[in-house]
Amino acid sequence: MSTRLRTFKDLALKEGSTVFLRLDLNVPMQDSVISDDFRITASLPTLKYLLEKKCKIIACSHLGRPNGKGFEAEFSLAPVGQKISEYLGCEVLLCPDFLNLGVDKIVSELNSPEQMILLENLRFFSGEKNGTDEFCQKLSSLCEFYVNDAFGTSHRPDASMYGVPLLFPLEKRCAGFLVEKEVRFLEEAFLKPKPPVTAIFGGSKVSDKIQVLERFCNIAQHIIVGGAMAYTFLKVLGKDIGISKYEADKLDLAQKILEYASRRNVKLYFPEDHICAASFEESAESVLCPTADIPKNLMGMDIGPLTLDVYQNIINSSQTILWNGPMGVFEWDSFSLGTKGIAQTLATRSQKAGAIVVVGGGDSAAAMEKYHLKDKVTHVSTGGGASLEFLEGKELPGIKVLKTYY
Ligand code: AMP
């Protein structure tokens, strides 16, 4: 059976249509101040489109992890509403409690095309996680149309992602521009990719990335590994890893990946030198370890310059590249050179050679942001967990309900 993602082209919106818009406005906050508004700016195209169409928008999102037992000031969406209002020049009316306010009252408050409603953090309500019928009914009864533009949450079957859209007829549901773009790049780039294809994996755990590693053994010609997850593999390969972080209970799994890759003729690359430290601290002195083996008293914190050079050469001969996970502890400057070098090489390869470069969400997206390279590659995903599950080949519940099957 074939499927097709439903988009705005499938929706018969008209002036005054009421639209339930699920966004991913789960932005990082520090003392009630937004520290990175990447997810807000990523939501603006859909918001602008609906405002221009003079639709009545009832937007919603979750923020952080409140316990589902009512309002908690630190997780309020008020600063997010303020930011949207600044970007769009419209009034954002924050609705504190849609469950107890009459539906008619909420919609009647919208009386100008320069206004929209933002429901307060859905995770203040236990129904969002539990997906109770009553909760889904209440949310769905607010509007005529359902639009999901929350890619970063699409792997979670929360009420607003899954139960609510199912209560709308299929012809009244669709993906917003961000979800459409995410699906297009994550799917098309690796469905019939232009070879050579390289996948770069890093970050802390092999266990989180086993499935995606396995899948890319069937897609990529080269798989580059860095970050702490490399040490689990190096241990299996009989290297001395000193006191580097690794997963003792995942050695068997790492061994299986090595065997699987070899059966598929996929070349796996691991660090040949390292930047090490004696302790896991920002202030720890960085020590170059020029061989793959690490002395007993040191831990690998970043890939070394020789490894970076090898990895850069592979990137420079690839046409389609996926990056998921940093090469080292890039949050600390002394251990950031590998991640920064990979980020810069990917940007140059994309800009100068037109290679398709897709960066999975989470920490690799944060690195692209940190080095101001986000706009220099084909696509940077807004969803860490969601993009990983998507790339593993899983059907995300929030996306499944937006598809036409034929
Ligand atoms: P993940 O969420 O699995 O993508 O992991 C990202 C985290 O892995 C980042 O916070 C990095 O600081 C961390 N990381 C990367 N390389 C290492 C390493 N060699 N040792 C310890 N942590 C690392």
Side-chain angles (χ1 to χ4, degrees):
M1 193 191 304
S2 301
T3 62
R4 185 179 63 78
L5 186 70
R6 300 176 52 76
T7 65
F8 278 125
K9 290 192 199 94
D10 298 291
L11 233 55
L13 290 174
K14 23 182 216 305
E15 188 174 328
S17 292
T18 47
V19 179
F20 181 93
L21 176 60
R22 179 52 159 100
L23 296 172
D24 179 10
L25 303 171
N26 185 23
V27 289
M29 308 275 285
Q30 250 164 7
D31 304 324
S32 300
V33 177
I34 298 165
S35 46
D36 178 356
D37 67 1
F38 178 35
R39 286 184 165 151
I40 297 178
T41 52
S43 304
L44 296 179
T46 289
L47 281 165
K48 271 187 200 152
Y49 176 81
L50 292 171
L51 285 172
E52 274 161 26
K53 287 229 156 225
K54 297 195 170 38
C55 293
K56 295 186 175 184
I57 305 171
I58 301 198
C60 63
S61 174
H62 79 271
L63 176 68
R65 293 177 187 268
N67 60 15
K69 293 188 184 144
F71 182 79
E72 290 177 63
E74 70 171 301
F75 298 115
S76 170
L77 280 170
V80 173
Q82 173 70 33
K83 198 77 181 172
I84 294 176
S85 166
E86 284 166 23
Y87 273 120
L88 295 177
C90 70
E91 192 183 357
V92 180
L93 306 165
L94 190 68
C95 172
D97 186 354
F98 74 94
L99 267 184
N100 297 307
L101 282 172
V103 177
D104 296 350
K105 176 160 177 350
I106 296 173
V107 179
S108 70
E109 274 182 25
L110 277 180
N111 45 33
S112 146
E114 272 92 50
Q115 285 182 327
M116 58 171 273
I117 284 178
L118 176 62
L119 303 183
E120 190 46 286
N121 194 341
L122 289 183
R123 287 205 185 152
F124 288 162
F125 308 92
S126 58
E128 172 65 355
K129 273 264 149 235
N130 306 338
T132 56
D133 290 348
E134 190 203 347
F135 187 81
C136 293
Q137 289 283 357
K138 274 268 187 189
L139 280 177
S140 68
S141 63
L142 295 172
C143 297
E144 188 188 353
F145 293 94
Y146 174 91
V147 177
N148 169 9
D149 214 19
F151 181 76
T153 332
S154 292
H155 58 316
R156 303 190 190 283
D158 293 353
S160 59
M161 303 301 307
Y162 190 70
V164 172
L166 287 177
L167 294 174
F168 287 78
L170 185 60
E171 67 271 15
K172 302 218 164 169
R173 312 173 205 157
C174 83
F177 293 123
L178 176 64
V179 166
E180 188 186 349
K181 185 168 156 228
E182 293 268 12
V183 170
R184 176 156 47 95
F185 283 118
L186 293 175
E187 202 168 62
E188 284 177 10
F190 300 103
L191 222 54
K192 281 188 193 151
K194 196 167 168 200
V197 181
T198 294
I200 308 166
F201 295 110
S204 55
K205 291 188 185 156
V206 181
S207 45
D208 290 347
K209 293 181 184 153
I210 284 293
Q211 279 168 303
V212 75
L213 265 161
E214 243 174 38
R215 183 156 189 242
F216 274 80
C217 285
N218 296 307
I219 297 174
Q221 284 76 51
H222 307 281
I223 295 184
I224 289 174
V225 182
M229 65 184 273
Y231 299 107
T232 307
F233 285 101
L234 288 174
K235 179 102 184 152
V236 172
L237 291 168
K239 303 288 178 201
D240 293 330
I241 61 165
I243 50 171
S244 303
K245 195 173 165 188
Y246 80 106
E247 287 170 280
D249 58 339
K250 297 292 174 309
L251 296 172
D252 288 355
L253 228 45
Q255 174 71 45
K256 278 191 190 136
I257 293 283
L258 291 173
E259 288 165 6
Y260 189 63
S262 136
R263 281 202 302 278
R264 316 284 319 173
N265 276 331
V266 176
K267 180 109 175 76
L268 279 171
Y269 301 82
F270 299 103
E272 294 172 30
D273 64 343
H274 317 263
I275 302 294
C276 296
S279 59
F280 192 75
E281 280 168 302
E282 185 168 9
S283 57
E285 189 191 343
S286 64
V287 181
L288 170 65
C289 170
T291 61
D293 289 301
I294 296 177
K296 273 193 188 58
N297 59 330
L298 293 178
M299 61 177 74
M301 301 283 274
D302 192 9
I303 56 172
L306 172 69
T307 308
L308 178 59
D309 196 47
V310 173
Y311 289 4
Q312 284 172 323
N313 284 335
I314 299 165
I315 292 170
N316 285 332
S317 65
S318 302
Q319 290 301 337
T320 308
I321 307 154
L322 166 75
W323 182 29
N324 197 307
M327 296 290 100
V329 189
F330 76 105
E331 297 91 335
W332 298 338
D333 285 349
S334 331
F335 309 107
S336 65
L337 286 184
T339 303
K340 189 175 182 182
I342 294 291
Q344 286 170 332
T345 312
L346 288 174
T348 310
R349 184 72 189 152
S350 182
Q351 295 284 303
K352 300 240 164 91
I356 303 284
V357 175
V358 174
V359 179
D363 279 308
S364 5
M368 294 307 278
E369 177 80 35
K370 181 173 174 182
Y371 305 125
H372 310 290
L373 297 169
K374 222 180 61 204
D375 303 325
K376 303 265 186 292
V377 293
T378 317
H379 182 61
V380 179
S381 177
T382 52
S387 70
L388 201 58
E389 287 197 21
F390 196 96
L391 291 166
E392 284 168 6
K394 289 188 185 145
E395 176 112 84
L396 311 187
I399 304 292
K400 188 175 171 192
V401 294
L402 307 175
K403 285 186 166 174
T404 297
Y405 290 78
Y406 56 94

